[in-house]
Amino acid sequence: MAWIRYAAAKVGRALFVIWAAYTLSFVLLFMLPVKAVDLLFDPQELMTISNATKQKVAAEYGFNKPAFVQYGDRLWAALHGNFGTSVQSGAPVWKAIGDVFPPTLVLAAAALALALAISFGIAFFAANSHHAWLVNFVEALPSATVSVPVFLIGLIAIQVFSFDLHWFPPLGDQGFGSLVLPMFTLAIPVAGPISQLLVNSFQRELAAPYVTTSLAKGGTRSWVISREVFRNASLPALTIAGITFGNILAGAVITETIFSRTGLGRLTQTAVGTKDIPVIQGIVVLTAGLYAITNLVVDFIYPILDPRLKARIAAT
Amino acid sequence: MTNNNSPTGSFSPSAARRPKRGYRRSRATRALTLAGVALVSVGVLAACDGSSSSSGSSSAVADATIPPSKVVSGASSALGYGSTPTTAAPVQGGVLHFGVLDAPEVIDPHEAGSYPESIIADNITDKLTWQDPVTGKLYPWLAASWSYNSSLTRFTFQLRHGVTFSNGQPFNAAAVKANFDQDALGDTKLQILPDPTHWTGYAGTLTPNPYEVIVEFSKPNAGFLTFSSFSGDNDPGFVANKTLQSSKTQRLIPANVIGTGPFIVKSFTYEQNVVLVRRNGYDWAPAPLAHDGAAYLNEVDIQTIPEASVRTGALESGQLQATLDVAPTDEPSLKSAGYQILYQPIGGQNIAFQLNADLFPTNDVDVRKALNLGWNRAALFGPVLSSSYRAAWSVLAPNVPGYVSFEKSALRYDPAAAEALLNSDGWKVGSGGYRYKDGKELTVKFLGINNLAPNQSAYELIQEQLKQVGINVELSVLPIPDFTAQQAVAQTKWNGIAANTSRDDPSVLWQADSPAVGNGSYVQPSSPEDQPLVSILQNVQSTLDPAQRAAATAQAQNELIAQYALVDPVYVPSQVIAANKDVHGIVFDAQSRNLFYDTWIGK
């Protein structure tokens, strides 16, 4: 019963987040000081478009209805999976997003895997090395990667590995070769916060009494780290899954632009740039949904990894 | 982040809808243009010269002995546009990989807005007429000849026989009518918007016989004749019935987008590329182009590459043979590395601040005149613009028929004259270096779009120089949607809005500046500027007599600049291509869109 209540609360929260994101995006877009119908026309020609024409077009798109009616119509349609069509291209929103989402998913998954590998590598190295200067150097890496802008990493990578060395193609998304540079470009800033957190929690855990106990019982340092410290130190990294998710999406906009890749990031940029309201709302709901699911998964994994939380839920 | 904010400085628009482009012609050819207009005005005569030669090679502009790259860009190379002349024989086949900044959102020609969208439209459709980008002269294309009534409300076109759409549908009067009706009136059920800007007063198209159309307007529309060749936004190139009956959504599928042009859309991958494939059997290119029959290239792969340095790098590493949207800062190094820099300044109405005659302090004509005299247009070259650009000595680009230069008069750099005007008008220099009158500071609020790389720096230079004469310029340079939003409230908020409108015809002035139409300067019916402007701009739109039209156009520019100072021209924008030396025959048309029909890649 306690578990059902726990799950219901978490799922309910996730649904609320998605609804709130949808509603907030509608309110914000509606409050923009521009009429939706004006954005359909070329700005230079706007003044030559008669009001009668504008009204006819607005009626066709439903822009002439009161705001709350538009909201209701759109929400009702959205609940049925219909987010309308892109104002700019005319493509159904689900298709516009569906076409560009898989490449972004591949890029994001690859970058996340690489970022985790880098982060754990840095944390293990920092925990195991006996050379203080080396440890200091490695510990400085996370802040450095957070500080270097993604576009700079991307442009340098392209210049060196594509244009100079010809190892990887500079653009497009055909085959694994074209994934390598974008993957590294995106992974480096994503790895920053994760490795920062891991380095800290490894240090904290290594100083914990249970480590001393294990070592006193004869465990080797690497045995203790991989069997005990690793699991406990990983927990905090899970809590920033949401931040990681945001980092990947934000990084994807820039990475996809630099490497001329198809993807959600560029679609977002274009949709925001042209105020393509249906597409923006579709993307907002999708990202809010992914974000909510990520956090939901974390909420369910946490009690499994942390017996204290498990006990607390069971007790309620 | 937008491309325009990238550290490498992207050159052209990042948003989907952007200002239209035109072309440019050197001052030496201005006289020729008038001659061109003279020929055009006798439509039937001009028509005869082409209809008698459906092969096209006997045209006055081009003949078979002129190698492809010398046509249009060949005429250009004589004028210093930078195309490499060649005497080699064209090579059949091959794929041209062509880089652009913007991702096309649509492939439907009638919906084209951004530059790549209209390049696609240009290559998959044909128009009734072809306008020479250098002389402005009209040549027969799908119309073999044409004529019009004296009040310019009826335009009659005799259509060429034997033209087909790529799905086999014959091209005839019914096809023209169906296209024009949908272009002008839209079809909101199919989400197709009307285009009242170019089709003002459209009253319908008659089809007295299968190869004759009569296009009627409710009021004079002199600009319609050149619009029959137009290649900018809302491209009037012809599409098949299947396309016209498709919704905007269905028109995203290449199989539904069918034209009569030398290429067919093979694939469209959003944010990635559009591949055009040669249409075999095509044989109705306009005479001024360099050859007959089908295009040389097998395919054109138009690749979207948002980042300027990556476009340049891809060109240098051989992934692209040519790229548009070359950053001005990359031009010199590419040139010295042996790449061709091909460019054509963009015509129509230049990048210019339209000054708000309904808002303090630009409601004062002396302030407006001081704004024009107070900064140096030539100073843009070097710090902001490369030699591929031109200074704006009028509101019109130099190639538009009827262009008049105000370089030595109202647009000269004369800070002393500007200060004298302001002094006598009662503006006294205050403590901070700016001028005041009745306790109010001389502050003008300028709004611009960040879609062209030089804009921000150009406007900042104006701001800096006008400060020297005591004018405080408050500047906002915004992305297109924000600009559009501000434009809606501009009458009460902004003293000047900068944008360009490309249309290779003096009617562009009527479209953008007439108080009865675009009213870019918010001239009020009660103001002294209103009546003279309405009537002189209507004159531009009401005659195709070359002498009368040139006179009206000159008078219109004089009123807009010298007399009322309603516009503050900034610069003539350019489209710039970098291509490797094996690429030949890239054509800039009258709106500076690129046609790949004559293009070939040498060994």
Side-chain angles (χ1 to χ4, degrees):
Chain A
M1 196 56 211
W3 277 100
I4 294 171
R5 226 177 16 240
Y6 177 78
K10 296 297 178 189
V11 171
R13 195 187 63 183
L15 291 175
F16 174 79
V17 165
I18 297 171
W19 170 80
Y22 181 87
T23 305
L24 197 63
S25 71
F26 182 89
V27 171
L28 287 176
L29 292 169
F30 202 86
M31 279 167 42
L32 291 174
V34 61
K35 293 194 185 100
V37 66
D38 289 355
L39 292 169
L40 296 175
F41 295 95
D42 194 299
Q44 263 74 259
E45 288 170 7
L46 201 54
M47 291 204 274
T48 64
I49 312 288
S50 71
N51 280 332
T53 302
K54 280 189 196 171
Q55 276 163 17
K56 195 174 154 205
V57 172
E60 197 59 40
Y61 280 85
F63 293 149
N64 55 342
K65 295 180 186 166
F68 63 89
V69 176
Q70 287 189 45
Y71 172 74
D73 286 354
R74 281 171 182 274
L75 186 61
W76 184 248
L79 285 172
H80 293 78
N82 175 11
F83 287 89
T85 57
S86 159
V87 171
Q88 292 297 326
S89 72
V93 169
W94 62 266
K95 191 179 182 300
I97 293 175
D99 282 352
V100 300
F101 188 53
T104 300
L105 201 62
V106 169
L107 173 63
L112 182 63
L114 183 63
L116 288 175
I118 294 173
S119 306
F120 278 102
I122 287 178
F124 271 112
F125 190 86
N128 275 316
S129 177
H130 298 292
H131 301 284
W133 64 271
L134 210 51
V135 173
N136 285 340
F137 173 74
V138 169
E139 282 177 1
L141 283 179
S143 340
T145 59
V146 174
S147 320
V148 179
V150 182
F151 67 80
L152 193 61
I153 300 174
L155 289 175
I156 292 172
I158 273 195
Q159 189 58 47
V160 174
F161 296 106
S162 289
F163 296 147
D164 293 345
L165 297 172
H166 300 284
W167 287 0
F168 304 104
L171 42 99
D173 43 12
Q174 259 75 51
F176 180 72
S178 66
L179 186 63
V180 174
L181 292 182
M183 178 175 77
F184 270 94
T185 305
L186 186 53
I188 288 171
V190 170
I194 302 178
S195 46
Q196 242 168 351
L197 198 76
L198 282 179
V199 167
N200 286 342
S201 30
F202 267 76
Q203 281 171 347
R204 195 177 54 243
E205 295 298 327
L206 281 173
Y210 72 85
V211 173
T212 317
T213 311
S214 294
L215 289 174
K217 280 181 171 177
T220 61
R221 192 177 166 86
S222 57
W223 187 90
V224 173
I225 288 174
S226 56
R227 291 298 174 87
E228 299 186 330
V229 173
F230 176 75
R231 179 166 147 167
N232 291 332
S234 306
L235 269 179
L238 262 184
T239 55
I240 61 158
I243 295 173
T244 306
F245 177 75
N247 271 342
I248 289 182
L249 276 189
V253 175
I254 299 163
T255 308
E256 287 167 0
T257 301
I258 291 173
F259 291 94
S260 312
R261 291 177 64 89
T262 306
L264 192 64
R266 267 173 78 199
L267 182 69
T268 309
Q269 186 205 354
T270 312
V272 170
T274 56
K275 295 213 166 79
D276 197 333
I277 291 173
V279 176
I280 295 174
Q281 286 204 297
I283 293 171
V284 164
V285 169
L286 176 75
T287 46
L290 289 174
Y291 181 83
I293 289 168
T294 308
N295 280 314
L296 202 58
V297 169
V298 170
D299 283 338
F300 285 119
I301 291 178
Y302 227 107
I304 297 169
L305 290 179
D306 189 343
R308 288 166 301 182
L309 191 59
K310 199 172 176 177
R312 212 181 308 154
I313 294 166
T316 51
Chain B
M1 169 192 133
T2 70
N3 302 315
N4 305 336
N5 296 335
S6 67
T8 44
S10 303
F11 159 66
S12 81
S14 65
R17 298 288 149 192
R18 58 172 166 173
K20 293 127 279 162
R21 318 314 188 98
Y23 68 91
R24 170 265 180 202
R25 146 203 82 160
S26 86
R27 257 176 253 147
T29 58
R30 228 170 293 138
L32 277 177
T33 303
L34 284 180
V37 171
L39 277 174
V40 171
S41 70
V42 194
V44 180
L45 177 70
C48 291
D49 109 2
S51 59
S52 63
S53 60
S54 55
S55 68
S57 55
S58 68
S59 137
V61 167
D63 66 46
T65 62
I66 300 180
S69 69
K70 295 200 74 174
V71 181
V72 185
S73 63
S76 305
S77 74
L79 299 167
Y81 283 146
S83 171
T84 308
T86 173
T87 50
V91 175
Q92 287 278 351
V95 179
L96 175 74
H97 298 279
F98 187 75
V100 295
L101 185 159
D102 284 322
E105 297 259 352
V106 295
I107 49 175
D108 171 24
H110 297 175
E111 297 270 317
S114 70
Y115 200 82
E117 284 167 1
S118 48
I119 286 183
I120 295 163
D122 223 12
N123 284 283
I124 65 171
T125 67
D126 302 309
K127 327 287 191 274
L128 288 179
T129 59
W130 166 267
Q131 187 178 20
D132 187 285
V134 177
T135 64
K137 181 183 168 182
L138 284 189
Y139 287 84
W141 196 350
L142 296 188
S145 64
W146 53 88
S147 59
Y148 41 82
N149 66 354
S150 59
S151 59
L152 302 175
T153 55
R154 266 172 83 95
F155 296 83
T156 305
F157 297 89
Q158 305 298 331
L159 304 182
R160 183 177 181 136
H161 291 243
V163 175
T164 57
F165 291 95
S166 59
N167 66 347
Q169 183 195 328
F171 169 80
N172 54 24
V176 173
K177 178 180 166 53
N179 272 269
F180 283 1
D181 283 351
Q182 197 175 79
D183 283 348
L185 310 172
D187 187 335
T188 45
K189 293 281 173 288
L190 300 174
Q191 295 93 45
I192 303 301
L193 295 178
D195 176 18
T197 306
H198 296 113
W199 289 91
T200 175
Y202 178 69
T205 298
L206 308 174
T207 56
N209 75 58
Y211 290 97
E212 180 177 304
V213 290
I214 301 172
V215 186
E216 294 191 316
F217 294 91
S218 59
K219 46 195 173 186
N221 192 349
F224 178 71
L225 199 58
T226 52
F227 181 69
S228 68
S229 73
F230 191 63
S231 58
D233 62 312
N234 302 110
D235 189 293
F238 298 99
V239 294
N241 288 340
K242 186 180 176 190
T243 309
L244 292 174
Q245 288 152 9
S246 300
S247 69
K248 181 168 174 170
T249 305
Q250 290 162 333
R251 294 184 197 189
L252 292 170
I253 301 165
N256 290 335
V257 179
I258 300 152
T260 60
F263 290 94
I264 300 168
V265 182
K266 180 182 166 190
S267 70
F268 170 31
T269 312
Y270 180 56
E271 290 174 342
Q272 198 85 74
N273 67 344
V274 172
V275 179
L276 307 179
V277 60
R278 175 178 59 212
R279 178 175 172 197
N280 293 315
Y282 178 87
D283 195 21
W284 40 85
L289 295 182
H291 79 291
D292 300 320
Y296 294 125
L297 294 167
N298 287 342
E299 289 185 359
V300 182
D301 174 17
I302 300 171
Q303 295 197 13
T304 298
I305 303 175
E307 191 53 47
S309 63
V310 179
R311 283 194 300 279
T312 306
L315 178 70
E316 288 170 328
S317 63
Q319 259 117 350
L320 300 175
Q321 282 80 51
T323 179
L324 188 70
D325 301 315
V326 179
T329 44
D330 285 346
E331 283 183 42
S333 61
L334 283 168
K335 205 180 274 181
S336 63
Y339 290 90
Q340 309 175 65
I341 300 293
L342 312 168
Y343 67 95
Q344 197 170 267
I346 296 163
Q349 179 152 318
N350 292 328
I351 299 260
F353 282 104
Q354 302 243 205
L355 301 176
N356 188 340
D358 193 38
L359 183 68
F360 176 86
T362 43
N363 54 356
D364 179 340
V365 67
D366 287 329
V367 170
R368 299 200 299 264
K369 285 180 176 168
L371 285 171
N372 267 337
L373 293 167
W375 69 278
N376 184 359
R377 285 165 184 79
L380 290 172
F381 291 87
V384 180
L385 302 173
S386 73
S387 59
S388 304
Y389 295 78
R390 293 290 176 268
W393 298 120
S394 171
V395 57
L396 285 178
N399 52 310
V400 180
Y403 163 85
V404 176
S405 169
F406 295 85
E407 181 176 1
K408 304 273 184 255
S409 52
L411 298 182
R412 71 188 189 277
Y413 178 46
D414 193 344
E419 293 199 74
L421 268 173
L422 293 171
N423 283 334
S424 64
D425 197 30
W427 294 95
K428 300 283 173 259
V429 180
S431 55
Y434 294 123
R435 290 170 182 273
Y436 291 83
K437 181 174 164 179
D438 306 329
K440 286 186 198 161
E441 192 184 68
L442 183 47
T443 297
V444 292
K445 296 174 79 176
F446 276 1
L447 174 69
I449 321 181
N450 70 1
N451 64 343
L452 298 169
N455 284 0
Q456 176 97 32
S457 341
Y459 305 156
E460 280 169 3
L461 184 139
I462 296 174
Q463 184 179 41
E464 190 53 39
Q465 295 199 347
L466 286 176
K467 191 178 175 180
Q468 309 303 317
V469 296
I471 302 175
N472 180 21
V473 176
E474 282 181 9
L475 193 58
S476 288
V477 186
L478 306 174
I480 284 185
D482 304 277
F483 173 86
T484 307
Q486 286 301 314
Q487 200 169 40
V489 294
Q491 186 167 359
T492 55
K493 194 168 168 191
W494 296 100
N495 294 105
I497 305 180
N500 68 313
T501 309
S502 94
R503 187 169 175 188
D504 178 25
D505 192 279
S507 282
V508 72
L509 293 180
W510 168 86
Q511 177 184 322
D513 304 300
S514 169
V517 191
N519 200 11
S521 295
Y522 302 102
V523 171
Q524 297 307 298
S526 56
S527 74
E529 296 94 341
D530 183 65
Q531 270 319 306
L533 267 180
V534 170
S535 81
I536 189 62
L537 286 166
Q538 189 56 48
N539 289 348
V540 174
Q541 181 70 341
S542 305
T543 177
L544 279 172
D545 175 82
Q548 283 180 22
R549 202 156 195 234
T553 305
Q555 203 184 339
Q557 291 167 84
N558 193 56
E559 286 191 7
L560 287 167
I561 294 168
Q563 197 166 351
Y564 302 127
L566 291 168
V567 280
D568 187 351
V570 183
Y571 71 98
V572 186
S574 257
Q575 279 302 336
V576 184
I577 287 177
N580 77 35
K581 58 186 185 326
D582 296 328
V583 176
H584 307 274
I586 291 183
V587 168
F588 287 92
D589 74 8
Q591 266 69 231
S592 282
R593 268 70 179 177
N594 302 112
L595 206 60
F596 301 116
Y597 171 71
D598 277 340
T599 307
W600 55 278
I601 301 170
K603 293 283 148 55

